Amino acid sequence: MIGNFEMIRTNTAHIGSSPVRASGVLETVRKDTGVAEVRGNFENYLLEAMDYVNGKQVASTDVAQQLIIDPDSVDIHDVTIAMAEASMSLSIAQNVIDRVITSWSEITTTR
């Protein structure tokens, strides 16, 4: 899930005391310095993001179906909120994908 994103603090001068980690990341601690090295996997980040967006879409559909099947069991505001969350997450994903594609095309055409 995207909400698990954390980073490792390697500099004591940085603000905060809690460790920050990223899910789907391989972490190793160097024996000579004791500093954690983090190697992330971009593919895992993308897959987690798509799973998150898909989960919002599925949750929205489930709540809408529940409203149709048993209208008294679901508050209409919950349906509206679920649909808005699904729409917003899909819109953000589309914008990010569009910007990544635009950036990639700019990088590849720059010589």
Side-chain angles (χ1 to χ4, degrees):
M1 174 175 278
I2 297 298
N4 306 18
F5 184 73
E6 299 177 358
M7 296 185 308
I8 300 289
R9 294 185 204 283
T10 57
N11 187 340
T12 57
H14 292 163
I15 297 174
S17 60
S18 64
V20 186
R21 304 186 189 288
S23 59
V25 170
L26 178 61
E27 177 184 329
T28 58
V29 177
R30 292 183 55 170
K31 292 181 182 179
D32 56 342
T33 62
V35 175
E37 292 182 352
V38 178
R39 290 181 282 163
N41 188 346
F42 187 67
E43 179 183 6
N44 286 344
Y45 293 130
L46 290 177
L47 290 174
E48 286 177 10
M50 290 301 114
D51 285 342
Y52 178 78
V53 171
N54 186 44
K56 289 290 184 181
Q57 298 291 326
V58 169
S60 172
T61 303
D62 291 344
V63 172
Q65 287 177 353
Q66 185 65 29
L67 179 69
I68 293 169
I69 294 169
D70 187 12
D72 294 333
S73 68
V74 179
D75 187 15
I76 190 67
H77 295 100
D78 293 337
V79 177
T80 305
I81 291 170
M83 288 182 165
E85 286 177 347
S87 175
M88 187 181 305
S89 65
L90 184 60
S91 175
I92 291 171
Q94 287 174 329
N95 285 326
V96 168
I97 290 168
D98 289 344
R99 288 184 184 214
V100 166
I101 290 171
T102 302
S103 300
W104 180 254
S105 66
E106 287 180 10
I107 289 170
T108 57
T109 58
T110 302
R111 294 185 180 145

